[in-house]
Structures are given as structure tokens and as C-alpha cells.
Amino acid sequence: MKHDKQKPQILRQELIAESRLFKVESLHLRFSNGVERVYERMRGGNRGAVMVVPLLDDDTLLLVREYAAGTHSYELGFPKGVIDPGEECFMAGNRELMEEAGYGARELVHLKQISLAPGFFSSRMDLLLARDLYPESREGDEPEPLELVRWPLAEVETLLDDPEFHESRSVTALLLALRWLRGSHNRP
């Protein structure tokens, strides 16, 4: 359902903080009703990111366990990464799958493009389903080898309950992949 609401006018935009990884900008906005507000957001790089739900076979998901600095813990999730310049999401997804899981995919299905906290971030992530896998490894940028975890598709409810599997993008990707596998992606 489309809406006709007018976007606020950007009166001023300035960089207010910067680190090696992040840039924070201030937006002074005027809404259509005349109200003005100042918002802060992370400035995006417009490259996008990709996450892949790999199916080793019809009955087995592949996940990776890797360190997450934000929670200072090891997290269970799907291969993911930034889309490099010159890549489209399918190329990036296959590359990340090779780097993080040691497999390539002959078939990649686009599930959905999502955003995370759009009130603060402008970046988007393409979620993909990978099928018809074959062994192929590429060197990635991870500081240590990632643990590859095979998970029976029949035990997906146990995965959703697993305390290490809680990252919102991985949960979303899994649920969209399950919907696609059920065939409901063909319904209006």
C-alpha cells in the first residue's frame, strides 16, 4: 500500500562525529506541518550488504558461528558481508558463502531487501537463499576460521529457540527462506 505523505525538507545536514568505521550526521528537518526537528543518523556508504541462507541439501541448513564485537560473544547466523564495488548482490552472496562457509552456490534466490533500524541507518541488506551447493573456498577477511554448523531443517524450531541464534537479520532470513521453501512466495 503506497502513501502520499510528503517527506520532510532537509534544511541542514552536517557530519558531527566520525570514527574509522562510522560517520554520524545531523539532519535539521522541516515537516510539512511546519514543525522542525534535528535527527541524528549513521551515514551509509550506499554499497549495501548481503546475507545468504545456504541449503546444503533439501534437509540441511548451513550456519556459521563467529565472534560479534557488539555483544562480545560468539553468535550463530548465516554468512553475510558488504557488497564490494562492482558487485551485485548475487555475486557478493556467492563470494561471502565461499569465504565464510567453504561452498559456492549454483542457484541463488532473492528473498527480500531489508533495512535495520531505518530511523538511524540508511543501509540495506539483500537476503538470499542458496541451493545446489558445491565445495569452494576463498580467503575472507575474518580474523579466525569460522565454525561451520550443519542444522537439520526438520529441527528449525530448535534453531529459533537456540540462545546463540538471535540476530534479527538471521532470524528474518530464516523465516523468509522457510516461506519460500513452502512455496508461499508464489501466492499474491
Side-chain angles (χ1 to χ4, degrees), residues 49-67:
V50 65
M51 177 177 279
V52 182
V53 179
L55 282 174
L56 183 60
D57 53 44
D58 290 341
D59 303 314
T60 312
L61 290 166
L62 289 179
L63 297 107
V64 292
R65 183 174 284 115
E66 69 179 309
Y67 177 73

Side-chain angles (χ1 to χ4, degrees), residues 73-126:
S73 63
Y74 282 88
E75 307 278 331
L76 193 57
F78 296 113
K80 63 191 169 305
V82 174
I83 298 173
D84 287 341
E87 284 184 322
E88 46 84 28
C89 70
F90 293 106
M91 292 169 58
N94 216 15
R95 176 183 49 76
E96 289 293 339
L97 185 59
M98 291 174 190
E99 291 174 0
E100 296 190 5
Y103 286 90
R106 291 183 189 91
E107 180 184 2
L108 289 163
V109 176
H110 192 267
L111 298 170
K112 187 175 182 82
Q113 187 178 75
I114 62 169
S115 60
L116 178 66
F120 299 101
F121 300 102
S122 63
S123 62
R124 297 187 181 273
M125 175 176 266
D126 289 286

Side-chain angles (χ1 to χ4, degrees), residues 170-181:
S170 286
V171 172
T172 300
L174 175 61
L175 295 175
L176 290 169
L178 292 172
R179 182 178 76 172
W180 191 92
L181 291 168

